[in-house]
Amino acid sequence: MNKTIYLAGILLGALAVILGAFGAHGLEKIIDAEAIQTFETGVKYQMYHALLLLILGTMKQLPEVKKKLIFYFLLVGICCFSFSIYLLATNSLTSFNFKVIGLVTPLGGTLLIFGWSIFGYRVYKHFD
């Protein structure tokens, strides 16, 4: 499981760098400044959680079974939150109205909160 967590953290981190560069240099002339800021929010949250996955993968104190639930909450949360933000920020570039998937963003945020909460609880219980 640690290998999977590391790989996901590395891939999501690298993708955050790529998307951040794309947002800063590729989108600046085709979407407005507010949409760029929205896109950057998705990139930041993706990178924060990619780093959290790398930390989670290194935690030898937590058994892999307990890491699995945290990993799934974070992974699905990242996908729902950040990727829906990317689509919403670039909505003006497509003929599909991504605002219809707007409820996916808070769902993703909720999953990220659950991931952090479970992580905090597991660490607290381990050092208790």
Side-chain angles (χ1 to χ4, degrees):
M1 189 70 200
N2 285 337
K3 189 175 184 179
T4 302
I5 295 171
Y6 280 133
L7 184 60
I10 290 166
L11 291 174
L12 288 166
L15 183 59
V17 172
I18 292 166
L19 289 171
F22 175 68
H25 304 291
L27 293 177
E28 66 184 347
K29 293 182 175 128
I30 57 176
I31 61 175
D32 63 32
E34 186 178 329
I36 294 280
Q37 284 183 324
T38 300
F39 194 90
E40 288 174 356
T41 298
V43 171
K44 284 183 211 171
Y45 274 78
Q46 182 175 331
M47 182 57 84
Y48 297 153
H49 291 91
L51 294 172
L52 180 58
L53 288 173
L54 294 175
I55 292 168
L56 178 65
T58 64
M59 300 241 359
K60 303 229 185 278
Q61 300 89 340
L62 296 178
E64 289 189 28
V65 171
K66 298 197 177 194
K67 291 180 186 181
K68 192 181 253 186
L69 182 64
I70 300 165
F71 169 68
Y72 287 127
F73 270 109
L74 293 175
L75 184 63
V76 175
I78 292 166
C79 291
C80 290
F81 184 82
S82 290
F83 289 90
S84 67
I85 285 183
Y86 302 144
L87 294 173
L88 290 167
T90 59
N91 192 48
S92 64
L93 302 178
T94 67
S95 60
F96 182 78
N97 184 6
F98 287 107
K99 291 180 182 178
V100 298
I101 64 158
L103 290 177
V104 173
T105 308
L107 171 67
T110 302
L111 293 172
L112 293 173
I113 292 167
F114 283 152
W116 277 98
S117 299
I118 295 166
F119 182 60
Y121 175 77
R122 297 282 190 218
V123 169
Y124 177 78
K125 290 305 270 181
H126 175 76
F127 291 110
D128 194 20

